[in-house]
Every structure is written in C-alpha cells, then in structure tokens.
Amino acid sequence: MIPAFDLSLQYKQLKSEIGAALNSVLDGGEFILGPAVKNLEKSLAAYCECSHAVGVASGTDALRVGMAALGIGPGDEVITTAFTFVATANTISHCGGKPVFIDVEPGSFNLNPALVEKAVTPRTKAILVVHLYGQPAGMDEILAIAKRRRLLVIEDCAQALGARYRARRVGSLGDIGCLSFYPTKNLGAYGDAGMVVTNRPEIAEKVDILRRQGSPKKYHADRLGFNSRLDSLQAAILNVKFSHLEAWNARRRAIASHYSRLLQGLPLTTPVEVPDTVHVYHQYTIRTAQRDGLASHLQAAGIGTMIYYPVALHQQELYQSLGYAAGSLPVTEKLCREVVSLPMYPELTEVQVEEVAKAIAGFFKK
Ligand SMILES: *Cc1c(COP(=O)(O)O)cnc(C)c1O
C-alpha cells in the first residue's frame, strides 16, 4: 500500500521535538500571537527573502486578509487562473471583487502570461498568480504587464513555499505572497495556519491590524477587521518543522527526477521544469488521455493518487453566474480531464517510487 500522502511518518520522526515545543507554549501561557508566532514570522520572512511576514489563521485568510490590506474591494476585477483550489478565487469574491479567469499553459499548468493583457479592463486591480504544484508561474512577463498597467500582483504560494524564480524566492516577487500551512502542504501544521509575506512594510502593518479585528490599539477599531491570528501551538509545531523544510524540498525534487526518469518513454506527459526555476513538487502531476483508467489501475494495485483539480473554477456551481461557457478555457478544461498526481512526500522510498512507476508501465502494456 502506497498512499498519495502520509503525514504519520514525519510525526514519528519529530514526535519528541514537537512534544517539547508544545509543552513550552503550554508552560509559557501565551496562546495568541506569542513568541512562537514572532519566531516563525522572523524565520519565514528571511526564508522568503521578504522584509515582513504576518501570521494568519489559514492560507485562505492569507489571501483574504492580504487582499483586503491591498485595498481590493467591490467592483475590482482580479485576473487569475481557474485551474486551482477554490480559495484562490473565493477570497477575491469575499473582498467584493470579481475573479476574471484566463487560461493556463499546458506545460507549467500556470497562468498563460500571453493572455493576461487582453483580460485587463479599466476595473482591473490585480493579477493573482498561483504557483501550482510548486512550480513558479512566468513572473517576468506578469510583473512587466502589472508595471505597465499599474496593477497589483498577489502570489498564491500555498503549494510553492521555497520555490525559486530566476534565483528569487516566490512570495517576494509580487506585492504580497500568501502561504498556507495546511497539514499536507510542504510545510504543514497540525491544523490550519497561514502567512502573508511582503516587502511592503505598510501592507504588513495593515495585515497585522486587520488580523486583530482592525484594532491598532486594543478595543479601538478604526476599520473593518477580522479575527485571523496564527495559533501559537501551530506556530511552535511549524518552528520545529521549518528547520527541515529545505531538506524535505530537496527530497521532493529527487523523488520527482526519479519518477521522470522511470516514466520516460511511456505515453504520458511528465512535469516540465521551466528553465531558471526551482520547482518544489508539492505535487508530481502527470498527464494522460487515459487518466481515469490509470487511476483505477493504480488504486487496484494499492497506490493512492489524487486529482487536482477535476473541475475548474469557471465551471463550478459557485461561478455559474460569471457566464463562462464550456470550452471558454480549453487548456484548463483539458487538464481537468487529464491530470493525475502520484504519491509525493519526502519519506517516500526509492523502492516505493519504483513500484509506482512499474505499476504505471504495467497499465500501458495491457
Ligand atoms: C491550500 C491552498 C489554499 C488555501 O490554504 P488553506 O490553508 O487550506 O486555507 C489556497 N490556494 C491554493 C493553491 C492551495 O493549494
């Protein structure tokens, strides 16, 4: 049995360290925005090559509170991808804005920069890029358009913590970077947690105030805020795990290149690494027209797979009112039919990777 992911292996390795970190928070008695949170913010700001990092309650809140801090509001259009998790877009809606979906590139699975400019209108306020599966989007082109058209750039780094684009860390390229520490992410808590990273001090300050009910001074609200604070116990767990992140990401990359080597020559498409980027393989996602058959074959062989994402956002019930017809985002729609993600976690062994590859080869030999 090889599951699509397995969180228990990491916990077994770190059990005593995590126990000690939790006890120290419990002994210290500071449960909200205490020293453990400050510590994590400091580590992640430095890691993401940003001057500031502000912990919030989830990756979704990093997007929602971050966009509120950037002033995205009613009537604003935000250009983004439909080939992503729903939180990328519903947070735009929560701010009162309107997601404008454009198609992706088949190779990188990310926003197609060539389509961005055509989607810009007088109401466009921002471009929200997602570095899907851990692969950086084409930021040079996107940043150039944003500069020319005076748009904000938001990076959804929920799947890409540690990835690099032309030597720069994702999250440091746009106006804000939004991190998620959902348990299965490359740096995962044991509950919900998230963070906004930025090189704009005034935006960091706004996120800090907004996450605390819009109160710069306790019990004095000067704007509409949220309760979105990062939990100290989760921060303590993340501080322990953070010291392993680089090694884990390196291991993910090694597993990915092993998979790609073993799958060569089969009638499927392995992930493309965009030149001059570091992909951190939150997912190792292949494409094949026989996706459903392959997934059932692997399941029968005791190998777990996941489909991210079976339905694109423009085709979700939620966004029917936006009026996108079937076929309006052809690449996105094709990917939804063809992608399948293989087991990917740092503890996966070489023997297991070989077993997965062998089962895939077996399917195509039939
Ligand atoms: C996980 C994820 C989010 C949301 O993060 P949560 O911590 O689960 O709220 C947003 N965007 C993408 C692309 C994600 O993968």
Side-chain angles (χ1 to χ4, degrees):
M1 190 58 213
I2 307 175
F5 55 84
D6 186 341
L7 301 179
S8 70
L9 300 167
Q10 215 166 69
Y11 180 58
K12 270 184 212 136
Q13 284 170 20
L14 301 175
K15 195 168 179 150
S16 62
E17 260 183 281
I18 287 175
L22 290 174
N23 281 329
S24 117
V25 174
L26 295 171
D27 286 333
E30 273 195 79
F31 300 114
I32 300 289
L33 300 181
V37 172
K38 280 230 160 61
N39 205 340
L40 184 69
E41 288 173 340
K42 210 171 144 208
S43 303
L44 279 161
Y47 182 73
C48 292
E49 298 166 2
C50 284
S51 58
H52 292 76
V54 188
V56 293
S58 66
T60 303
D61 268 9
L63 289 160
R64 187 174 66 131
V65 181
M67 282 194 271
L70 289 172
I72 290 168
D76 292 336
E77 294 180 359
V78 179
I79 296 170
T80 192
T81 161
F83 192 58
T84 180
F85 183 58
V86 68
T88 304
N90 73 17
T91 48
I92 299 169
S93 308
H94 274 297
C95 288
K98 179 179 153 192
V100 172
F101 297 119
I102 64 170
D103 216 349
V104 294
E105 298 174 313
S108 72
F109 305 108
N110 284 322
L111 267 190
N112 184 341
L115 302 175
V116 173
E117 195 134 26
K118 275 178 264 173
V120 175
T121 75
R123 316 196 98 176
T124 306
K125 180 94 180 231
I127 305 168
L128 201 178
V129 298
V130 180
H131 305 300
L132 199 73
Y133 306 145
Q135 163 95 291
M139 293 304 289
D140 277 352
E141 296 95 322
I142 289 166
L143 291 168
I145 296 163
K147 193 165 178 199
R148 199 157 60 234
R149 308 299 295 254
R150 298 174 166 274
L151 304 173
L152 296 162
V153 175
I154 299 143
E155 297 181 73
D156 180 341
C157 305
Q159 303 187 2
L161 179 58
R164 285 188 181 279
Y165 179 82
R166 306 208 193 291
R168 289 171 67 189
R169 201 74 88 169
V170 301
S172 69
L173 296 138
D175 290 275
I176 58 169
C178 302
L179 315 182
S180 164
F181 307 118
Y182 184 79
T184 57
K185 299 285 158 78
N186 288 27
L187 178 61
Y190 293 139
D192 279 308
M195 196 168 279
V196 176
V197 293
T198 182
N199 279 307
R200 294 182 57 185
E202 78 287 7
I203 296 300
E205 193 191 345
K206 274 192 187 152
V207 173
D208 174 43
I209 293 168
L210 287 172
R211 72 177 167 171
R212 299 182 282 121
Q213 305 286 7
S215 311
K217 196 167 129 198
K218 221 172 187 185
Y219 310 123
H220 293 74
D222 68 358
R223 69 197 83 173
L224 187 61
F226 307 87
N227 174 2
S228 182
R229 299 166 304 217
L230 200 158
D231 189 289
S232 305
L233 289 169
Q234 297 304 338
I237 293 163
L238 291 165
N239 282 324
V240 171
K241 288 187 158 199
F242 173 70
S243 58
H244 301 274
L245 177 62
E246 281 287 87
W248 287 335
N249 279 348
R251 177 72 194 134
R252 284 174 183 271
R253 290 176 50 73
I255 291 167
S257 69
H258 195 189
Y259 268 138
S260 292
R261 227 164 33 243
L262 296 171
L263 297 176
Q264 234 172 44
L266 294 174
L268 53 80
T269 310
T270 55
V272 179
E273 282 201 27
V274 177
D276 222 1
T277 66
V278 176
H279 188 325
V280 291
Y281 290 98
H282 174 58
Q283 300 296 337
Y284 182 90
T285 303
I286 60 172
R287 277 194 296 144
T288 160
Q290 300 177 67
R291 190 266 312 273
D292 292 338
L294 175 62
S296 338
H297 174 84
L298 292 177
Q299 193 184 6
I303 295 165
T305 57
M306 299 294 276
I307 292 168
Y308 304 110
Y309 294 90
V311 182
L313 298 189
H314 69 298
Q315 301 195 304
Q316 298 281 349
E317 194 63 40
L318 168 67
Y319 284 126
Q320 282 320 291
S321 62
L322 295 178
Y324 290 87
S328 56
L329 303 179
V331 177
T332 297
E333 290 165 35
K334 187 159 191 265
L335 291 176
C336 289
R337 294 189 295 269
E338 294 192 344
V339 292
V340 55
S341 298
L342 304 183
M344 172 53 87
Y345 41 94
E347 298 76 19
L348 205 62
T349 66
E350 296 194 356
V351 173
Q352 287 175 313
V353 171
E354 281 154 19
E355 196 178 317
V356 174
K358 205 187 258 172
I360 295 171
F363 170 77
F364 286 107
K365 257 189 224 121
K366 274 195 309 195

